[in-house]
Amino acid sequence: MNPTLNLWLIPILPLAGAAINGLFGKKSSRQTVSVVALTFCGAAFAMALWVAMQFSSLRQIPHQEFLAHWIRIAGFSSDFAFYLDQLSLIMLLVVTGVGFLIHIYSVGYMWDDPSYYRFFAYLNLFMFFMLTLVLANNYLLMFIGWEGVGLASYLLIGFWFTKDSAASAGKKAFIVNRIGDFGFLIALFLLIKHFGTLNFVQVFDAVKPLSGETAGVGLLTTIGILLMVGAAGKSAQIPLYVWLPDAMEGPTPVSALIHAATMVTAGVYMVSRSHVIFERAPIALTAVAVTGTLTAFFAATIGIAQTDIKKVLAYSTVSQLGYMFLACGVGAFSAGIFHLMTHAFFKGLLFLGAGSVIHAVGGEQDMRKMGGLRVYIPWTFLTMGVATLAIAGIPPLAGFWSKDEILWKAYQTNWVYWLLGLITAFITSFYMFRLLFMTFFGDYREARVEAHGHGSHSSDDGHGHGDPHESPMIMLVPLMILALLSVVGGLVGIGNHFEHFLAPVFGAGAEVAGETASGYTEYLLMGISVAVALFGAFLAYVLYVSKPLLPQKIADALDGFYTTVVHKYYIDEIYSALFVKPLIDGSTRILWQGVDRGVIDATVNNSAEAAGHISEEVRHMQSGNLRSYAGWIAAGSAAVIAFMIWKWTGAR
């Protein structure tokens, strides 16, 4: 019998913080708001650490804790219960740990914002829903957390709602995610219809005896593809990735929390959690691999030409999520989760570092107006340099181990996946070192622009006026911790320790069947990936440090193609022309002609006309003619007598 771990406390603590700050924060001081937000989020992290320490003593894994009976309808039941195994434990530590560091950073970054309390209420609320998603023991409770994360992200992305761009970005994220969620919902309906349950253990026990659907599209393939559609919306895969770059309109800590450690990884987690279904649906698994590979490559090419520091990181996130999908698609679920974890470290660090840069230069985000900042903000430069090395895949940093694991598994499945992944690794190294060199090397180009008017970077304490200066320690300490994790976080992958830890969850899926390549081949491929990463860094150095005028000449020579890449292949414009504008115009026409004119106006107008006709007929009754009045009285009396006779007869 397992001891009770009180898992429910982990999500409920951030919810309590959100409720306190949401209800009373407006009248509280910033210090009080900060203490409440950090205390409850930190307590959730401490609780997660305690659970991790107790994990090895559990006699039965997965460990489940039932809180209450939830739904009982016509033979279908779903309990409010939590589920802990190796996979959810890793997610628990990543979400609470990185989330807590981002909360600390946010105190310094958002200090001068007039809606300081509201920001932390939303941030805590987001943590509650994400932790509910991770700990759920059934798809229905997972979906509640899934939708709650979408709601909280809408509130955070559109936090500065007085800016049209921020409000539009929040709506875009919400709507695009609902498209993916439609697929997720249909998958849940199919699970209920065919298996009668949404409980993970019961669904997977029912699926395991089924044979793989290799001959065509069957039930499991259909469910797998629909689940992938849901995951593609949340984890920003082609064609539903368009919301994530626009979501950079939110405060930078939001970008770090949503787009590095938590929300965007929910799709990868859901696919990994559903590995039993995908392993018996090869077509769905191939769809995941192809989608991930294309997304990784496509988003990386867009990142090359972006000049907004946060937009570069946004497309980098889309690309790295593609890597995670690729890993899941080739059956290497543990490698995908490994990259999810290391990505949380170095991408969280990159976003927070970008926030420190923006803070230093008065709100400017255009890298063309930066340069030479390593002299002014050395700690930010050092930590972002570590993160850049990590994401580029330079050993022995964290990103090298997880990315190399994915490329190795991809090579064993299909060399095309490996080749596109390798090219993506080169592009990733190039655009990330481009960001580093444009921001921190050369001469400072004095970004004296009007601040955004939000957050600490827009305060009147000198930001954007005079030389840039380093961020306060409350912002730098989280950067240093994440930098350390970006260095050592991948070492758990040595000797396949991480893979072995997850093996009880994924079983055979944690290992690629049929090791067809020798150890020498693996080392050769590892060397090729490192060489490619180093070449990308070298090329960025030549173009943006050694010969800084050369990029413009190349852009002029590739005018048409370069313009297309700068405009992100015009995907947003195509979507707008094909879907948004017709839908809005059509909806407007339907609302105006169908609802407004056909229902609302028609109801009012027809009611008035009917009243006129009735009154016209009734008016003739008041003719002033006594004989007419006598006739009406007689008719009324006859009607009353007939009614009374009918009632009396019925009573007998």
Side-chain angles (χ1 to χ4, degrees), residues 162-422:
T162 54
K163 290 171 57 182
D164 289 338
S165 57
S168 298
K171 287 187 290 186
K172 186 175 183 178
F174 194 79
I175 293 169
V176 173
N177 272 275
R178 298 294 75 72
I179 296 171
D181 293 351
F182 181 72
F184 194 179
L185 266 178
I186 300 300
L188 299 193
F189 293 152
L190 288 174
L191 288 173
I192 293 172
K193 177 175 174 57
H194 292 279
F195 301 111
T197 181
L198 292 177
N199 180 278
F200 292 147
V201 173
Q202 294 172 3
V203 169
F204 301 153
D205 285 346
V207 169
K208 284 176 183 177
L210 302 179
S211 58
E213 298 178 346
T214 57
V217 177
L219 172 65
L220 298 182
T221 301
T222 303
I223 292 173
I225 290 175
L226 289 169
L227 289 175
M228 188 205 72
V229 171
K234 197 69 75 183
S235 291
Q237 299 294 290
I238 289 175
L240 301 178
Y241 72 93
V242 291
W243 67 268
L244 195 147
D246 286 17
M248 295 300 105
E249 290 291 338
T252 300
V254 172
S255 303
L257 183 64
I258 293 179
H259 308 134
T262 53
M263 173 180 165
V264 293
T265 61
V268 179
Y269 171 71
M270 185 262 279
V271 171
S272 299
R273 175 60 73 197
S274 309
H275 69 95
V276 175
I277 295 172
F278 282 95
E279 286 167 353
R280 286 153 184 78
I283 295 175
L285 212 54
T286 300
V288 172
V290 171
T291 300
T293 305
L294 294 178
T295 301
F297 175 75
F298 180 75
T301 62
I302 298 177
I304 292 175
Q306 298 302 304
T307 55
D308 184 310
I309 189 170
K310 288 176 67 176
K311 285 290 180 71
V312 175
L313 297 178
Y315 282 104
S316 171
T317 299
V318 177
S319 182
Q320 296 303 305
L321 289 166
Y323 264 113
M324 298 175 208
F325 260 61
L326 168 59
C328 294
V330 298
F333 297 101
S334 59
I337 297 300
F338 188 20
H339 197 58
L340 182 156
M341 181 186 75
T342 60
H343 178 263
F345 300 152
F346 57 70
K347 185 55 64 64
L349 173 55
L350 284 167
F351 270 117
L352 296 185
S356 184
V357 170
I358 295 167
H359 174 275
V361 294
E364 181 57 62
Q365 295 182 197
D366 192 333
M367 296 185 296
R368 296 170 297 184
K369 299 178 181 178
M370 298 178 188
L373 292 179
R374 70 184 189 280
V375 177
Y376 302 99
I377 48 175
W379 283 106
T380 301
F381 164 64
L382 180 63
T383 53
M384 284 195 74
V386 169
T388 302
L389 291 169
I391 192 174
I394 307 298
L397 281 78
F400 161 75
W401 302 102
S402 56
K403 187 178 293 185
D404 181 72
E405 184 74 8
I406 292 173
L407 291 175
W408 169 237
K409 302 295 187 184
Y411 178 83
Q412 292 179 272
T413 304
N414 189 319
W415 67 270
V416 176
Y417 297 153
W418 172 81
L419 181 60
L420 286 174
L422 187 69

Side-chain angles (χ1 to χ4, degrees), residues 368-374 376 438-446:
R368 296 170 297 184
K369 299 178 181 178
M370 298 178 188
L373 292 179
R374 70 184 189 280
Y376 302 99
M438 288 183 70
T439 304
F440 294 101
F441 286 73
D443 297 323
Y444 178 48
R445 295 179 283 275
E446 298 189 19

